């Protein structure tokens, strides 16, 4: 069995080497190189456009993206575009394809949960009776313009920060960083969160307190019962906090400062709009920190494995 796996790995490496060899030979011709470069960048632009259509980006989303791309060159890797573009475009398209189907899958899971899952714990009354847990302290001042702004922040907060970071990492020619943002947020967090959602019934603050929906989503009673589920921990918080921690590692000051501000506002909006309880937010921040550190460990192991294989290859070549 091990020999069969090794043969498959060897075959995969051989195919990848052949593809890169073909691209290298193509790049020896300036006209073909220019055409390939244009085609791949058109594919990149088309994929970004399709990403924007999943949640119907508005002009503010594009302005936000533009601001955060102003200093992507500060974090750009010294990698030839033609060696990066094929794998970068392919990775971006795969991430888009998963993202396009995610909302439908999430709605199916939420509906299934409502109809079939009997939660082991009901925390609605417990969380309502914990002093200050409803985050009312963050709603002492609620001007209409700020409420509308925070609705935009929260409405796109589950994915906008992630996609801006991924697109910027693409332009920085860093596929590993693209994956790091994705793995540290939704990919590793969802399997950890789902068991909580399946066993703990905790609904959004506005629903439990009998207040109007802070997002003004005009739910029917049936829709409200479905979409107010799954509060602990706050995934808006965990995703945003993970991206905030990764953004602090970037060299570009514009990206770093704006992204940290935006992610902080997403976390604040969950309490201001009466979506999440304070304990949800604290748990979400702990989860975001944990998944970032988990991915760090994973990358460290992969780097050690790659370095070991490289040394072995060098040793074989010297014989």
């Amino acid at each position: 069995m091990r020999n069969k796996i090794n043969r498959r790995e060897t075959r995969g490496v051989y195919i990848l080497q052949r593809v890169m060899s073909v691209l290298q030979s193509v790049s020896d011709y300036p006209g073909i190189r220019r055409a390939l470069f244009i085609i791949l960048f058109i594919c990149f632009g088309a994929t970004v456009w399709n990403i924007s259509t999943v949640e119907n980006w508005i002009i503010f989303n594009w302005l936000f993206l533009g601001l955060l791309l102003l200093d992507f060159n500060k974090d750009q890797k010294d990698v030839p575009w033609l060696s990066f573009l094929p794998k970068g475009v392919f990775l971006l398209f795969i991430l888009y394809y998963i993202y396009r189907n995610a909302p439908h899958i999430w709605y199916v899971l939420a509906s299934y949960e409502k109809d079939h899952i009997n939660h082991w714990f009901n925390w609605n009354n417990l969380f309502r009776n914990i002093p200050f847990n409803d985050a009312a302290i963050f709603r002492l001042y609620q001007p209409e313009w700020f409420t509308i702004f925070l609705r935009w922040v929260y409405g796109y907060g589950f994915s906008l920060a992630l996609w801006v970071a991924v697109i910027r990492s693409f332009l920085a020619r860093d596929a590993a960083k693209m994956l790091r943002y994705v793995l540290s947020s939704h990919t590793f967090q969802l399997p950890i969160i789902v068991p909580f959602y399946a066993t703990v019934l905790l609904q959004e603050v506005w629903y439990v307190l009998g207040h109007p929906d802070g997002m003004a989503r005009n739910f029917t009673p049936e829709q409200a019962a479905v979409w107010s589920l799954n509060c602990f921990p706050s995934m808006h918080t965990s995703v945003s906090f993970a991206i905030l921690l990764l953004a602090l590692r970037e060299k570009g000051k514009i990206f770093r400062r704006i992204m940290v501000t935006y992610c902080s506002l997403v976390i604040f909006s969950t309490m201001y709009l009466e979506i999440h309880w304070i304990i949800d937010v604290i748990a979400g921040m702990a989860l975001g920190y944990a998944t970032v550190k988990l991915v760090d460990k994973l990358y460290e192991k992969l780097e050690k494995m790659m370095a070991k294989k490289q040394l072995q290859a060098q040793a074989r070549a010297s014989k």
Side-chain angles (χ1 to χ4, degrees):
M1 177 65 73
R2 185 174 296 176
N3 291 335
K4 187 181 290 185
I5 293 172
N6 289 337
R7 285 199 298 271
R8 287 177 182 171
E9 289 180 354
T10 303
R11 193 180 304 120
V13 171
Y14 173 75
I15 292 171
L16 182 60
Q17 287 174 342
R18 292 296 299 168
V19 170
M20 296 308 295
S21 176
V22 170
L23 288 173
Q24 184 63 43
S25 62
V26 165
S27 67
D28 292 336
Y29 300 91
I32 298 177
R33 183 170 63 240
R34 193 179 302 113
L36 184 61
F37 180 85
I38 292 171
I39 290 169
L40 288 170
F41 248 101
I42 289 173
C43 291
F44 161 70
T47 305
V48 171
W49 175 257
N50 279 288
I51 288 167
S52 75
T53 63
V54 174
E55 290 188 350
N56 301 311
W57 282 15
I58 59 177
I59 187 64
F60 294 110
N61 299 56
W62 289 105
L63 290 173
F64 182 65
L65 173 62
L67 280 173
L68 293 176
L69 294 182
L70 289 175
D71 61 355
F72 74 87
N73 60 309
K74 300 290 185 182
D75 293 280
Q76 200 165 49
K77 293 186 71 175
D78 187 19
V79 177
W81 270 114
L82 273 182
S83 73
F84 168 77
L85 277 173
K87 61 183 178 183
V89 169
F90 178 75
L91 175 59
L92 189 66
F93 178 80
I94 293 298
L95 295 176
Y96 152 70
Y97 184 80
I98 297 170
Y99 174 57
R100 187 187 69 181
N101 293 284
H104 173 70
I105 295 171
W106 186 260
Y107 180 77
V108 169
L109 287 173
S111 298
Y112 179 85
E113 178 186 8
K114 178 178 179 293
D115 296 334
H116 297 90
I117 293 178
N118 293 317
H119 297 95
W120 297 353
F121 309 101
N122 185 331
W123 287 358
N124 282 346
N125 288 330
L126 173 65
F127 271 49
R128 176 170 51 193
N129 292 325
I130 295 174
F132 307 108
N133 193 35
D134 64 356
I137 191 172
F138 297 110
R139 297 186 292 275
L140 296 176
Y141 179 63
Q142 292 183 289
E144 185 177 359
W145 68 268
F146 191 52
T147 301
I148 293 171
F149 171 67
L150 286 184
R151 284 174 181 165
W152 171 78
V153 169
Y154 180 84
Y156 291 101
F158 196 65
S159 60
L160 181 60
L162 171 65
W163 280 116
V164 168
V166 168
I167 293 168
R168 184 179 183 274
S169 299
F170 178 97
L171 293 174
R173 306 177 221 169
D174 196 334
K177 190 181 289 183
M178 291 170 65
L179 271 177
R180 185 185 287 272
Y181 274 108
V182 174
L183 293 174
S184 298
S185 54
H186 299 73
T187 305
F188 278 9
Q189 290 182 18
L190 192 58
I192 298 172
I193 281 178
V194 165
F196 286 97
Y197 291 172
T199 56
V200 175
L201 173 63
L202 179 63
Q203 293 171 281
E204 294 180 0
V205 177
W206 66 273
Y207 187 87
V208 174
L209 298 183
H211 296 170
D213 174 21
M215 282 292 289
R217 288 168 286 194
N218 298 316
F219 286 143
T220 64
E222 293 77 16
Q223 290 172 328
V226 172
W227 288 103
S228 64
L229 291 169
N230 303 332
C231 271
F232 182 87
S234 166
M235 197 168 177
H236 265 74
T237 297
S238 60
V239 168
S240 297
F241 194 63
I243 295 171
L244 182 155
L245 293 175
L246 294 176
L248 287 171
R249 303 177 182 182
E250 303 283 1
K251 296 176 183 175
K253 289 183 179 180
I254 295 174
F255 176 82
R256 191 168 65 241
R257 291 171 180 172
I258 296 178
M259 184 60 82
V260 168
T261 301
Y262 177 76
C263 290
S264 300
L265 283 171
V266 172
I267 296 169
F268 176 79
S269 72
T270 67
M271 296 178 287
Y272 179 91
L273 297 169
E274 293 189 272
I275 307 294
H276 284 288
W277 309 86
I278 286 180
I279 293 176
D280 301 338
V281 171
I282 295 171
M285 292 175 72
L287 176 59
Y289 177 83
T291 52
V292 168
K293 293 301 180 184
L294 179 62
V295 174
D296 284 346
K297 293 293 184 183
L298 176 63
Y299 269 56
E300 287 174 12
K301 286 190 175 182
L302 287 173
E303 287 171 2
K304 289 178 180 177
M305 287 172 57
M306 291 174 65
K308 185 178 179 180
K309 285 186 176 182
Q310 189 174 8
L311 287 173
Q312 290 173 345
Q314 290 173 353
R316 286 195 298 268
S318 63
K319 288 181 180 179

